[in-house]
Structures are given as C-alpha cells and as structure tokens.
Amino acid sequence: MFRYLVRRFLQMIMVFIATTFIVYSLMYLTGGDPIQALAGEKPVTDLQRAQLTVKYGLDQPFLVRYWNYLTDLLHLDFGTTLTGRSIKDILLDAWPVTMQLALIAILVTIIFGVTAGVIAGIRRGSIFDNATLVLTLIVIGIPSVVLAPLSQYLFTIQWKLFPTTASGNPTWYELLLPGIVLGSLSVATAMRLTRASVSENLRADFVRTARSKGMPGRRVIGIHVLRNSLIPIVTFLGVELGSLMAGAIVTESVFNVPGVGFQLARALKTEDTPLVIGIVSVLVIVFLVANLIVDLLYAVLDPRIRYE
Amino acid sequence: MQVRRLAAWAALPLVVTLGLSACGKSGGSDSGGANPNGVVSIGIAEPKHLIPSNTSETSGSQVLAALFAPLVDFDEANKPFEVAAQEISTTDNKTWTIKLKDGWTFHNGEPVTADSYINAWNYAAYGPNAQDNNYFFDKVEGYKDLNPADAKTTPTATTLTGLKKVDDKTFTVTLSAPFSEFKSQLGYTAYYPLPNSAFESITASPLVIAKAYEDAPVGNGPFKIKGTWQHDAQVEVEKYDGFAGTKPTVGGALFKIYQNSDAEYADLQANNLDVVKQIPTAALSTAQGDLGDRYMTSPASTLQVLAFPTFDKRFAKAEVRKAISMAIDREEIANKVFQGSQKAAYSFVSPVVAGYRDKTCGAACEFNATEAKKLYTENDGPKSINITYNADGGHQEWVDATCNQLKANLGVECVGTPEAKFADLLTKAKAKKEIGMFRMGWVMDYPSMENYLGPLYSTGGSSNYYGYSNPTFDNLLKEGSAAPTQEEAIKKYQQAEDILAQEMPVLPLRFGQNVFGHSTNVKDVHIDLFNRVDLNKIQIVS
C-alpha cells in the first residue's frame, strides 16, 4: 500500500509538471496581447506598453518565465494577476465556494440519479423505468448554456422560488439552484450507470444464493447488490467531482457565483495568463487527488482488489 | 401502484422547492416620496483598480465618482463648472491657476490642499508607475523628464516642473503649449486629489501609494467607503457628513459586482438590483417589454468609424470615399443590427460635447444609392474592397451588414477581414500593410470637441492610425487651443470639422447609446457622459 502511494505521488508530480507546461505554452503561443486586453478598446501609448511589458516580465524568454513560475509555485507563491491582486487570495476565496457548489451538485446526483437508478434497475421495464429513461434523455440533450439561464428565468424571476444571483459570500440557499442545475447534468449519466449495474448484478449467482438462503429482499439489495454495483458509480462520481469544479464556468457565470469557474472565465477574457495558470494548476491537483481517492475506494468496496 | 409511485416521485422535487421557497425573504416596496437615506444598488463589473490615476474603465470610475469630487463637473450644455475648485483661471491658456474651495476635507479629516493635487498628479505622471491615466498629463511641462522613451531607464525627475504650489489652497499648472480645453480635462477621474495617508511616506521621492489604500480609498467626495472593497462581490459607500459640496440625494450606494452582464440583468428583472448601466445585447430585444418605462436611453460618448488608410491608393480620391459613405444606410444598421443601442452618426463629433452640430457631414453621409453608384463609377472606385475588423469585439455582424449594403448599392465585391485583436489590426496599419478599410472606435477622454479631432486627425495624432495630414486642419486646431474663450475655440474646432466633412478621412457610422434600466425602487436615473450613474440626481422611492 505504501509503495503504491509513493509511486502514485511520483506519477502525480510528472503529470502536474507536464500539464502546467502545456497550459503555459498554450497561453504563450496563442500570442494574445494582455496589455491591450487590459486597456480594452482604448489605445495604449507606446510608453505605457513598454513600462507594463517590463513590469510583468513579458519581455523575458518563454522558458525563463515558466521556470520562474514553477520555482515560485514551490514556495506556494502563485504570483499576482495583471491587475496586481494576489492569486493565492483569489483562489482561497473562490475554492470554498466552488466546493460548496460541487457538493450540492454531487448530492443531487446521488439522491436523484443513484436512487432512481436503483429503483429503475430493480423494476426493469416498468413505467418508472421507461419514464426516467425518457426524462434523462431530455436532460442529457439540454446543454448547460440553455439549462442554467432557463431555470434562472423560471425559478427566480417568474416564480421567485430562489435568489436570482449569489452574493459575495454565498449562503447554501443561494447556491442551491446553481447546484441543482450543475448536478442535473450528471444525474442522467449516474442514473443510467446505476440502472445497468444493478440490473446486471441482480442476475448474478451470489444474489440467487442469498435469495435461496431465505435472506430478506431488502438485505439482498441493500448489502449484496448495491455494494457490488457501486464500483462503476464511484469511479464516475470521483471523476465527475473534478469536472464539476472545472465545468462550473457556465453555471457560475449565469448565477454570478464567485467561484473558480467565474474566475477562470474572467481570466480567459482578460488574458490574465498568471491567473489562468494558477487556477489550472490547482485544478490539475484536484483531479489527481480525486482519482487517487477513487482508486483507493475500490479496495474498500471490493476486498479482492489489493494495491502493492 | 406503479403509477402512484411515479406520481410521488414527480411530486417530491416540487414539494422540496415549495418548502424552500418559504424560507426566502419576501421583499416589497411601497411607492411615495423620495427617501434621502436609502441605499441604491448599482451593477458594475469588478474594477481593475480603485486609484484615480489608474482607473480608466467605467466600473472603477463609477465607484470613484462616489468617493471623490472633481475640480469641475459638466452642466446640461456639457460646459464645465467648478465643484471642488473655487476658480480656474488663465490669461494665455498656458499657465492655469487653480484656487480650491475652503473647508473641504478628506474622509479621514485631512484638509484638501494644493499639495493633495500636486502629489496625486506627480504620482500619475511618473512613468515607472505605469498608471493607465499617465497620458492625461502629457501636456504638462516637464512630462518628458518623468517618462523617458526607454522604459528601462530611470527618469531624471520625479515631479512635474509645471506644477507649482502658490499657497495652501492655490496652485498653478503650466502646460508645454497653450490648450484652451484644459479646464474640461479636469473633470476626468485622473485629476482627483489624494490624501497624504494614501502614500507610504509623504516625503519619499518618487511617491509610492500604500498597498492598503486601494482596498479602502479615502477621497474628498460625497460618499465614504463602508468597510473595504470586497473583490468580486461588492463595494459599499455611505454618506460623508463632512462633505462641503452639494449633498447627494441618497444615503449610500451599494455597487454590486457582476462578472456576466446577463446575471446582472436577471437581478434587475427580479427587482434585486436598482440600476443596470448597460443592458446586455442578448436582452435588448425583450428589455423594452420587460421594463416598460424603466427602459431608458441617453447619448454616450463613443463613436464608431470606418477609416481609410492614406497609404492605400485605391481610396485616394475623396469622391470615392464619399460614394462609399453614401452607399451605407446607417439607420438600417443601427436599428436592425444594434436594435437602437447605437445611433446613426452624421457628424464627426459626438452630441455629448459642447459645439456639436447635427449633420455636419452633409449629403456625403445621407443614404443615397443612385448618387453613390454614379459617383463611384465616375471616379473609378475599386472593384473589390474589404473591411478589416477585430474579431473579439462583436463587430462581425455589422461589418457584414455594411458589406452587403456596399455590394448591393455599389455593385462591388466586399468582404469582412477579421483580425484576432484590435492591436493586431493597428500593428498592420502602422506597418502600412494592405488592410483595406478598417473599423475604429473612439471613447472620449474629456468632453471637448478637441478630443474628437486632435488625437484622431491631426498630423502625428496619438490615434491617427490612417496617417491623415492636413496643415490647414492642424492650424485650426492650434488656433482653437490658443483661443481666449471657449466660444471662440469651438468656432475654430467647428471649422476644422468642416474640413473633415470635405475630405472624409474616415466615415462616421454610429454614436454610442447608454441603454440602461432601473428597478421600481428608484427614479430620476441619469447616466452622465462618462457612463456613470449620477448619484446627485437619483432618488429612492420610499
């Protein structure tokens, strides 16, 4: 187990360096003009351009800039944005909000997706099964750019059930609707995955054995079927948690939630390279850690899996 | 059984949401008179900076307009009048004496003195500080010494020689050349004063602004900051009781920060936000229906033009340029593409400045397809033309529409050529590459006709990217800048504008419009010429 963890950590460092390098070089290669982006439509005088170029170190060669960035990062120094704010502060403000949002989304996915999946799996071919299949098909078909503004309009402006946008330090209540919207996108996938997994396990030998032993139905499904069906779902949820944090760009923008997606969208819009790379670096770490946890959970769920 | 279970499942989310909605706060407003102590909420984007010399975008300047009082403001006719200044006088347009009003203090109690202005302006003008509004001081004597051409060398001076203190309440500004519009310039954000507490050390040279200052700026204005600037969330200001000027009509303002203008508009629809300064494009078609008489427009200072590079020989004849101008139906594009958020322009100078005249461009800007075609063929206009634009600014739609009009009315080939960024476009224009006609926008720096003429068309002007040069035009501008009164200056500038109408170095296309909306909680909402909500006029319905 220990050797496995060490190996994984070494892999993670390699992946981290490779991904940040790719992002850094992509931002560099797109050849944007952050100084003009900062000024908007206004022309920038040559003098000011020269001064800002020196100030942000934009005149240094690419590898030097990347190296400086990486060494600063080792000291947990994320640098400052082009408007002079500390990126560490921005991240410390934004991450808790996004985590809250992702937590709501994951709970929505589990409560609605997994529960409905289990019921549909047990009652295959029933009206519930068919109805949820059609419903999930519809939800999968609606992209979040449509779903988020639509639900904002219906639930907050027409019917006034939720606050329209989140405030600076959003409460759980303000994050509920964005969280549901975010989660609903993975509800469909989670439900279908669970349904397939449960219905397959229902026909497995160990279930028949348990039934013929005279075990009550609830116990058969709750312990034997569910535990064995959870492996693909946990994989999905683990990866999903990572992408929920990254993929919240649309939802966070629509509901004005000051989370990571909100910051990333702004950083891209203003070509704030340091901020983009700062956010992506942390995202990479979140993905890697989420994957590691998923892999470790396998061993808990299925005692046959051992790590050496 | 199964059907009933299905119904139960379907009802569950509904019950949950209904239950939750009960926890929501219920708000309502009664109509009646104005409430002078209420707080108005205004939507802005995250300001880039909250330092006067470094704030050039509208979000930051909206906040600073609450925290600071300018030396001059502008009346209904867009002429400057004194606010924090007692008197601004000059005899030769070169040396200006600024006398401050007595009894004015900063929010921390510090008196506003001549030094408050001199220090702030020296900080702004010092090159290595790389302040956005640095170029506003380029007319002051000694500017060159603070801004060496090579950015890596240290300037030889840290203070402008043109700024001199006379006494505690008086100082003089000496310009390097006469400039009659200097008083109008003083209304801009860049010219606010700074208290001594803004600097790390008041005796240091060059001055350095304290890091913490920007989080809670201390100004001389009608409102003081409440708490600090909460990044990405809000900035709140409240009435400053020690303010010596005209008291504002509201008790405070909450500037709510939005990253996405659609979210801002959604909050207005839900009546959670009082003012949206610019209704997002996506909502323009429905906003009038949504808001009724709370949907408003006012002229803005922006101007959109199509420019002809002088190095492109195809457009060398003024008649060809006029023919192209006459083949464009400006009204149609303004109404169809922009849905009234921009207005057709028939002059080179915006209606927000004193001296503006409608239709100075004359027949050359009136849509007339048959005349245009005749003029174009008589003068051998090019068979194919293109319009270069920057792809990141949402310009494709109107450029294509303009091209289609030119195709239909002149019988020429016309295509839009996108460049990724505006800077790319300018680089090509500077390198005299063949880019055809290109689009340009102009945002006013100070409300004067000169600002729409000097930088854009004078020989070597800072934004004269097409290389237009006409000695008579340059002379008229110089005479205008040296004119003893504003009226005489305007006359000279109007003559200069008439030259543009004859030569058409650019085609004026559209003026900007502020398309804004407000909630049912406020009335008398006005957007000023710098695209800021006027906090001296807005009223809260109580």
Side-chain angles (χ1 to χ4, degrees):
Chain A
M1 187 70 179
F2 179 73
R3 283 182 59 188
Y4 174 78
L5 279 179
V6 171
R7 209 165 59 227
R8 283 295 294 259
F9 274 120
L10 288 177
Q11 280 172 357
M12 279 162 77
I13 291 170
M14 306 259 288
V15 172
F16 180 78
I17 291 176
T19 43
T20 49
F21 183 78
I22 290 170
V23 174
Y24 209 96
S25 43
L26 278 178
M27 287 299 287
Y28 182 79
L29 285 175
T30 46
D33 182 354
I35 293 173
Q36 184 65 49
L38 208 60
E41 283 272 292
K42 284 201 177 196
V44 183
T45 60
D46 290 340
L47 210 62
Q48 201 195 4
R49 174 175 293 278
Q51 272 146 1
L52 287 174
T53 307
V54 174
K55 187 172 166 188
Y56 298 132
L58 298 175
D59 53 343
Q60 286 168 338
F62 168 67
L63 282 175
V64 175
R65 279 157 68 183
Y66 179 68
W67 178 248
N68 286 344
Y69 177 75
L70 213 58
T71 44
D72 283 347
L73 204 58
L74 283 181
H75 299 101
L76 279 181
D77 176 7
F78 284 88
T80 58
T81 67
L82 291 187
T83 54
R85 280 174 69 192
S86 151
I87 293 178
K88 206 204 269 178
D89 290 349
I90 294 183
L91 289 174
L92 284 176
D93 283 344
W95 271 106
V97 176
T98 296
M99 292 219 203
Q100 260 176 297
L101 196 64
L103 192 66
I104 296 175
I106 275 288
L107 284 177
V108 168
T109 310
I110 293 173
I111 293 170
F112 291 96
V114 177
T115 321
V118 171
I119 297 172
I122 295 166
R123 302 170 177 274
R124 252 155 54 98
S126 67
I127 292 179
F128 179 83
D129 184 24
N130 288 322
T132 44
L133 273 182
V134 173
L135 260 175
T136 50
L137 204 64
I138 294 172
V139 174
I140 288 179
I142 306 178
S144 57
V145 276
V146 177
L147 192 64
L150 188 71
S151 52
Q152 183 186 45
Y153 180 73
L154 288 180
F155 294 109
T156 74
I157 296 172
Q158 275 311 91
W159 298 327
K160 301 192 192 302
L161 298 178
F162 295 96
T164 316
T165 56
S167 61
N169 291 309
T171 59
W172 287 99
Y173 176 51
E174 284 173 327
L175 290 177
L176 197 56
L177 184 62
I180 293 173
V181 168
L182 194 60
S184 68
L185 299 169
S186 39
V187 160
T189 322
M191 189 247 148
R192 293 188 161 210
L193 213 59
T194 318
R195 176 183 174 274
S197 179
V198 166
S199 62
E200 194 183 297
N201 275 325
L202 274 175
R203 280 178 306 212
D205 292 341
F206 63 88
V207 174
R208 201 178 43 223
T209 315
R211 283 235 168 87
S212 49
K213 274 202 304 194
M215 208 180 253
R218 198 182 296 154
R219 206 175 148 74
V220 173
I221 288 171
I223 305 282
H224 295 264
V225 176
L226 217 51
R227 187 166 171 184
N228 282 289
S229 311
L230 275 180
I231 293 179
I233 300 160
V234 166
T235 317
F236 168 74
L237 288 180
V239 177
E240 196 64 9
L241 188 69
S243 52
L244 278 180
M245 291 189 175
I249 293 183
V250 173
T251 318
E252 288 189 359
S253 289
V254 168
F255 292 98
N256 208 43
V257 178
V260 173
F262 172 101
Q263 295 290 0
L264 190 57
R266 195 190 45 214
L268 288 169
K269 204 155 62 185
T270 55
E271 292 177 38
D272 202 325
T273 312
L275 184 54
V276 172
I277 295 162
I279 293 174
V280 171
S281 306
V282 181
L283 275 178
V284 169
I285 294 173
V286 169
F287 264 96
L288 292 174
V289 171
N291 265 314
L292 180 65
I293 292 174
V294 166
D295 286 349
L296 294 179
L297 266 182
Y298 285 160
V300 177
L301 288 170
D302 188 344
R304 286 171 300 183
I305 300 174
R306 284 273 176 274
Y307 293 118
E308 282 313 323
Chain B
M1 174 68 186
Q2 275 172 346
V3 177
R4 203 187 298 156
R5 194 171 291 229
L6 171 65
W9 270 98
L12 181 66
L14 198 65
V15 172
V16 171
T17 46
L18 285 177
L20 283 167
S21 69
C23 327
K25 56 169 186 254
S26 60
S29 63
D30 311 305
S31 52
N35 171 7
N37 295 318
V39 174
V40 58
S41 59
I42 296 169
I44 57 169
E46 165 85 1
K48 280 176 197 140
H49 288 284
L50 285 184
I51 293 174
S53 53
N54 214 2
T55 300
S56 59
E57 34 77 46
T58 56
S59 299
S61 66
Q62 172 77 64
V63 178
L64 291 183
L67 297 172
F68 288 88
L71 285 167
V72 298
D73 204 350
F74 301 92
D75 61 15
E76 300 292 321
N78 298 316
K79 294 201 170 156
F81 66 89
E82 282 83 355
V83 179
Q86 178 74 43
E87 196 193 359
I88 298 173
S89 58
T90 181
T91 49
D92 55 358
N93 288 342
K94 197 164 181 276
T95 306
W96 294 74
T97 307
I98 300 172
K99 205 171 160 5
L100 303 171
K101 278 184 184 151
D102 279 325
W104 282 55
T105 54
F106 286 102
H107 303 150
N108 58 0
E110 228 179 87
V112 181
T113 65
D115 281 325
S116 317
Y117 286 91
I118 294 173
N119 290 339
W121 296 5
N122 278 331
Y123 178 82
Y126 188 64
N129 292 337
Q131 299 292 293
D132 268 7
N133 294 330
N134 169 290
Y135 68 98
F136 275 90
F137 299 89
D138 62 357
K139 291 192 174 74
V140 180
E141 219 172 58
Y143 175 82
K144 287 246 152 54
D145 296 335
L146 273 69
N147 294 275
D150 179 9
K152 285 184 177 165
T153 56
T154 315
T156 50
T158 56
T159 52
L160 291 163
T161 52
L163 298 180
K164 283 209 182 67
K165 180 178 172 178
V166 177
D167 58 50
D168 257 4
K169 293 283 171 192
T170 319
F171 65 106
T172 59
V173 185
T174 311
L175 306 179
S176 41
F179 183 51
S180 59
E181 304 302 302
F182 184 65
K183 189 173 167 185
S184 289
Q185 257 194 332
L186 293 175
Y188 192 65
T189 319
Y191 299 96
Y192 291 141
L194 286 176
N196 288 346
S197 65
F199 300 101
E200 277 183 5
S201 157
I202 198 65
T203 50
S205 178
L207 290 163
V208 180
I209 285 192
K211 258 208 148 54
Y213 178 73
E214 203 175 1
D215 285 327
V218 171
N220 64 337
F223 298 94
K224 62 176 186 221
I225 197 158
K226 198 172 166 185
T228 57
W229 171 11
Q230 295 173 38
H231 288 281
D232 298 315
Q234 61 179 57
V235 186
E236 194 169 4
V237 298
E238 59 188 352
K239 219 182 241 177
Y240 170 52
D241 293 324
F243 183 60
T246 320
K247 297 269 188 263
T249 45
V250 289
L254 174 66
F255 302 104
K256 281 173 112 175
I257 296 172
Y258 293 87
Q259 136 107 317
N260 177 321
S261 55
D262 294 317
E264 186 180 337
Y265 183 67
D267 253 353
L268 174 70
Q269 277 183 297
N271 229 15
N272 295 334
L273 181 70
D274 292 333
V275 187
V276 169
K277 290 197 291 177
Q278 195 70 50
I279 291 175
T281 328
L284 277 176
S285 53
T286 53
Q288 224 161 340
D290 290 343
L291 301 172
D293 59 353
R294 292 182 287 120
Y295 169 94
M296 302 171 93
T297 58
S298 72
S301 72
T302 53
L303 169 67
Q304 288 284 341
V305 301
L306 271 188
F308 297 99
T310 44
F311 51 82
D312 194 332
K313 291 290 163 264
R314 295 178 298 168
F315 305 114
K317 281 188 187 167
E319 284 75 19
V320 172
R321 304 197 287 262
K322 280 184 186 167
I324 293 174
S325 172
M326 284 156 75
I328 298 172
D329 187 348
R330 292 167 171 76
E331 295 289 343
E332 190 185 43
I333 293 179
N335 294 333
K336 296 255 167 72
V337 180
F338 291 97
Q339 293 168 333
S341 63
Q342 294 198 6
K343 236 179 150 176
Y346 300 103
S347 308
F348 292 85
V349 168
S350 161
V352 301
V353 296
Y356 159 79
R357 294 164 298 159
D358 192 16
K359 307 215 170 165
T360 49
C361 179
C365 289
E366 294 290 347
F367 174 58
N368 188 335
T370 42
E371 265 310 298
K373 177 109 193 220
K374 208 173 122 213
L375 197 63
Y376 198 75
T377 32
E378 272 171 11
N379 289 286
D380 277 336
K383 291 277 165 295
S384 76
I385 46 183
N386 67 314
I387 301 175
T388 305
Y389 62 97
N390 48 316
D392 62 344
H395 297 294
Q396 191 195 357
E397 217 180 344
W398 72 261
V399 167
D400 286 349
T402 310
C403 255
N404 287 337
Q405 289 184 344
L406 293 180
K407 268 192 234 167
N409 300 330
L410 296 177
V412 293
E413 274 306 305
C414 178
V415 285
T417 318
E419 286 286 338
K421 305 272 166 211
F422 193 58
D424 300 337
L425 194 164
L426 294 181
T427 314
K428 284 201 174 171
K430 277 185 205 157
K432 305 201 177 200
K433 293 230 172 87
E434 187 160 307
I435 53 172
M437 298 190 273
F438 61 93
R439 77 149 280 271
M440 247 193 67
W442 183 246
V443 188
M444 176 190 79
D445 286 329
Y446 44 94
S448 154
M449 281 188 83
E450 196 275 338
N451 195 224
Y452 285 89
L453 303 171
L456 289 171
Y457 313 108
S458 63
T459 309
S462 60
S463 294
N464 183 354
Y465 298 111
Y466 20 86
Y468 177 73
S469 173
N470 180 333
T472 330
F473 180 88
D474 291 350
N475 270 334
L476 281 169
L477 282 192
K478 264 200 203 110
E479 286 170 33
S481 296
T485 64
Q486 212 195 357
E487 284 68 31
E488 280 167 73
I490 284 176
K491 253 185 217 132
K492 293 289 176 194
Y493 293 143
Q494 288 178 338
Q495 285 174 28
E497 191 188 355
D498 291 340
I499 292 180
L500 296 181
Q502 286 159 26
E503 305 215 321
M504 298 286 272
V506 306
L507 313 179
L509 290 180
R510 292 175 307 275
F511 292 126
Q513 285 275 95
N514 299 316
V515 181
F516 57 102
H518 62 85
S519 72
T520 52
N521 307 328
V522 292
K523 59 179 187 186
D524 291 338
V525 182
H526 294 269
I527 303 270
D528 71 8
L529 51 165
F530 295 111
N531 192 253
R532 305 177 301 209
V533 177
D534 194 335
L535 292 173
N536 283 321
K537 290 191 178 137
I538 194 166
Q539 307 245 11
I540 290 172
V541 180
S542 61

